[in-house]
Amino acid sequence: MRLPLYARILLFFLLNVAVIGVALGLVMRAQLRGGLDSFMGSLVSARLQAAGERMYNRLSSLPEAEWHSAVSEVESTYGVRAALMRSPVSPLAGSQLVLPEALKKELIEHQERRRRPEGGRPPQIPPPRERRDNFFEGPDDGFPPPPRDRRDDGPDDLRQPPDRFREGPDNPPRGPRRPERGGSPSLPSQYGKVFLRAGNPEEYWAVIMLPPPPAYFSRPPEPLLFVINTPSIFTGGLLFDLRPWLVGIGAALGVSALLWLPLVRGITGKVKETMHATEQMALGKFDARVKENRSDELGRLAHAVNSMAQQLDGYVNGQRRFTGDIAHELCSPISRMQAALGILEVRATGEKERQYIETLNEELQHMSHLVQELLQFSKASLHRELTLQDVPLAALAAGVIARESSGYADDSVRAEIDECLTVSAEPELLARALSNVIRNALRYAGDAGPVMLAAVRRGDGVLITISDHGHGVPPEALPKLFDAFYRPDTARSREQGGAGLGLAIVKSCIEACRGRVTASNIQPRGLRVEITLPTAPSSDKHDRV
């Protein structure tokens, strides 16, 4: 998959964040095994405290007969299983949950820790006859002591509520109660909470130890266990709400992306500018330059690219001028040699001498043709700054076809060009380019069928297509077809192939006219050459009118 540079940088940034998140999750998971003292446990503990307060407020406002509906409301709202229990084996309301042994053990250990004085030894275990049946009871467990048995105090005392529930100046209320100025009773933080993962399969279990609501009378009064069971800690957002974290992480990533945007855009913008300049240089346009407006490594790269382009421009132009000068200098001796051969041919008397002169004349003609191609290639390559003109394409193509198809059948070249099409080009260079393409098509595929010359409007330009019905060229030769002195293997004979400059001249002429040329094979057979030129401004005005 090809991704832009900015997308790759952002992808690596997100991958880095994901790695950090996974590492943090592993640490949190390891810490969570230690109980509610870990980071995640603290978050869960706070939500358990809130859930316990809500449940205690709900139970305080309902009679005991309606507690089942309150627990069922929690189950339907959050998608968890919940129950209200007197003890781990005594359900009171909600689902019939069977607590795993690990949870029971944790509850017992939790109660023992609460009974143990801070920094002291564990309390003495009372004799068996004094031990209470409920393991949550104890003098130091944070819950109100059970009311003493007042059966021996007389019948009048039996009609009165126990001292635990009789409030007054000498007996202030203990445990949670409603505030005097409205609101709802709150759950004291000293009441215990247990959270662990246990069972088979493993699930999350949360237990909140609620004090007895005011309307709940039991002998002795014992805490209630509000048990929550869920396979995932994120279910319903009761134990852990993931949405604020996702919003926070998304906001952090968004802000980070915005903070990275100037840096990444500066890097990618300079890289794109450098890439565009190098692509232009690869097409032979060595006048392309990169702005040197940075002082970092990218600025040094821009300076290096500009220096390379300047040196290549001088080297290539110098080579082209040298080739043109040599070709021009060769024209004079070749002309004199041709004149001398003409004289020798007139004076020759023997048949053998005439054969030698004829062979020498053919070699001299071939050399003259090569020199002429070198001159055309040099001129086309050096014509980089031209004043383009509005050229009627149909008329120019008709003249080229009439000149190149002489000696062939009348319908050897067919043209399909609208008379209104006008291109912006240099007439001589465009005619030379069309002539070379048509000449090559007739030379290599003239016997297989007519050569088609067509032109259509395409966007802001004109697409000129020259196609034949020959054998085409090997696919690996297509990218090199317009290189100077390159000839496919099927055209390396003197009878069929020239010096390999015909299509190179075409490319130089079209690029001088600010166009581009490409070649492709046709299925099942044939070669197509496509030339794209800009539309003449006058043609655009005519089309708008």
Side-chain angles (χ1 to χ4, degrees):
M1 182 183 299
R2 300 184 61 181
L3 295 176
L5 184 59
Y6 178 78
R8 292 188 180 185
I9 295 176
L10 187 60
L11 182 61
F12 276 99
F13 168 72
L14 294 177
L15 181 62
N16 186 18
V17 172
V19 171
I20 295 175
V22 170
L24 182 61
L26 294 176
V27 173
M28 292 169 61
R29 182 176 181 181
Q31 292 294 324
L32 189 60
R33 297 175 181 175
L36 293 176
D37 294 332
S38 64
F39 174 71
M40 179 65 78
S42 299
L43 296 179
V44 173
S45 177
R47 298 193 67 84
L48 290 180
Q49 175 76 16
E53 289 182 359
R54 290 193 298 268
M55 178 54 65
Y56 180 79
N57 297 338
R58 189 79 171 119
L59 298 178
S60 301
S61 62
L62 294 175
E64 185 176 348
E66 298 182 11
W67 285 2
H68 183 80
S69 62
V71 179
S72 299
E73 183 180 351
V74 173
E75 291 182 327
S76 61
T77 302
Y78 296 101
V80 298
R81 300 175 64 196
L84 196 64
M85 311 179 74
R86 293 189 182 93
S87 68
V89 294
S90 179
L92 184 62
S95 301
Q96 298 295 324
L97 298 180
V98 179
L99 275 61
E101 294 298 328
L103 180 58
K104 295 179 181 179
K105 182 179 179 181
E106 180 66 24
L107 289 172
I108 296 175
E109 292 179 356
H110 181 77
Q111 285 300 109
E112 292 297 332
R113 289 194 300 267
R114 294 178 61 84
R115 291 174 180 174
R116 184 178 301 143
E118 185 175 356
R121 294 180 301 173
Q124 296 294 329
I125 300 177
R129 57 187 175 87
E130 297 182 6
R131 292 189 64 180
R132 299 171 176 84
D133 295 334
N134 195 317
F135 65 90
F136 288 106
E137 299 178 11
D140 299 322
D141 59 358
F143 295 104
R148 60 189 179 88
D149 195 352
R150 302 175 60 88
R151 288 178 295 180
D152 299 334
D153 292 345
D156 295 337
D157 295 330
L158 290 175
R159 292 192 296 270
Q160 302 295 329
D163 294 339
R164 161 68 181 84
F165 303 104
R166 186 185 297 119
E167 299 180 1
D170 299 331
N171 188 21
R174 300 178 61 187
R177 59 173 297 173
R178 294 182 182 274
E180 296 181 358
R181 297 186 178 182
S184 59
S186 61
L187 181 66
S189 60
Q190 68 265 24
Y191 290 110
K193 298 174 286 291
V194 175
F195 175 71
L196 55 81
R197 189 178 183 186
N200 188 17
E202 289 188 342
E203 294 181 331
Y204 290 96
W205 295 84
V207 180
I208 311 168
M209 302 172 191
L210 304 177
Y216 177 67
F217 296 95
S218 65
R219 185 180 294 273
E222 56 187 8
L224 300 179
L225 303 180
F226 180 38
V227 184
I228 300 172
N229 171 238
T230 176
S232 174
I233 196 175
F234 306 110
T235 302
L238 179 61
L239 300 180
F240 186 83
D241 193 0
L242 190 61
R243 289 173 297 180
W245 290 83
L246 293 178
V247 172
I249 292 174
L253 292 178
V255 173
S256 300
L258 291 177
L259 292 177
W260 280 46
L261 184 60
L263 173 63
V264 176
R265 286 191 62 182
I267 295 175
T268 56
K270 181 56 69 173
V271 170
K272 288 182 179 179
E273 183 183 358
T274 306
M275 178 182 65
H276 178 71
T278 53
E279 289 176 347
Q280 296 297 314
M281 296 174 195
L283 296 175
K285 300 178 181 179
F286 299 107
D287 55 345
R289 293 294 183 269
V290 184
K291 295 181 181 178
E292 301 180 18
N293 54 355
R294 298 176 65 106
S295 58
D296 53 3
E297 288 81 358
L298 293 177
R300 294 175 57 188
L301 176 63
H303 178 73
V305 170
N306 291 337
S307 299
M308 179 184 65
Q310 184 176 1
Q311 293 181 8
L312 287 175
D313 189 25
Y315 172 76
V316 173
N317 286 333
Q319 185 183 36
R320 288 169 178 169
R321 290 190 180 92
F322 175 76
T323 303
D325 293 342
I326 292 297
H328 185 269
E329 292 297 327
L330 288 176
C331 289
S332 297
I334 289 176
S335 299
R336 289 193 293 269
M337 292 171 64
Q338 288 177 338
L341 281 176
I343 297 174
L344 288 177
E345 186 177 5
V346 173
R347 295 181 178 181
T349 57
E351 186 66 25
K352 193 172 184 179
E353 293 177 354
R354 292 181 181 275
Q355 292 179 357
Y356 290 149
I357 294 174
E358 184 177 353
T359 302
L360 184 59
N361 191 24
E362 291 179 358
E363 296 292 340
L364 197 58
Q365 291 291 337
H366 179 70
M367 185 180 299
S368 176
H369 179 70
L370 176 60
V371 171
Q372 291 297 326
E373 285 192 348
L374 284 175
L375 280 175
Q376 292 182 7
F377 175 71
S378 178
K379 292 179 180 179
S381 301
L382 294 176
H383 283 91
R384 292 297 181 180
E385 298 296 333
L386 297 174
T387 302
L388 303 184
Q389 307 175 18
D390 296 349
V391 180
L393 188 57
L396 185 140
V400 171
I401 293 174
R403 182 172 62 252
E404 297 298 332
S405 62
S406 59
Y408 294 91
D410 294 338
D411 59 347
S412 58
V413 181
R414 298 178 183 177
E416 296 179 359
I417 302 176
D418 190 349
E419 296 290 339
C420 299
L421 279 181
T422 304
V423 296
S424 180
E426 206 285 324
E428 182 181 354
L429 296 181
L430 179 57
R432 186 181 302 169
L434 294 179
S435 297
N436 285 3
V437 176
I438 294 175
R439 188 183 309 120
N440 279 358
L442 291 173
R443 178 182 301 172
Y444 299 118
D447 299 335
V451 176
M452 300 299 300
L453 174 61
V456 293
R457 288 287 301 268
R458 177 169 294 181
D460 296 334
V462 175
L463 176 63
I464 304 172
T465 304
I466 302 100
S467 57
D468 58 52
H469 298 82
H471 296 285
V473 297
E476 63 273 9
L478 288 174
K480 305 177 182 179
L481 204 58
F482 296 95
D483 293 347
F485 301 104
Y486 177 79
R487 294 183 300 177
D489 292 338
T490 57
R492 288 193 178 276
S493 63
R494 177 179 299 183
E495 290 77 10
Q496 292 184 345
L501 291 174
L503 293 181
I505 293 173
V506 172
K507 181 180 179 182
S508 298
C509 292
I510 297 301
E511 290 180 351
C513 296
R514 298 180 180 88
R516 62 180 182 274
V517 58
T518 58
S520 60
N521 286 322
I522 305 174
Q523 298 299 330
R525 55 182 295 171
L527 181 69
R528 178 190 295 115
V529 176
E530 295 183 349
I531 299 174
T532 303
L533 292 172
T535 306
S538 60
S539 178
D540 292 337
K541 294 179 181 179
H542 177 74
D543 292 341
R544 285 194 291 267
V545 172

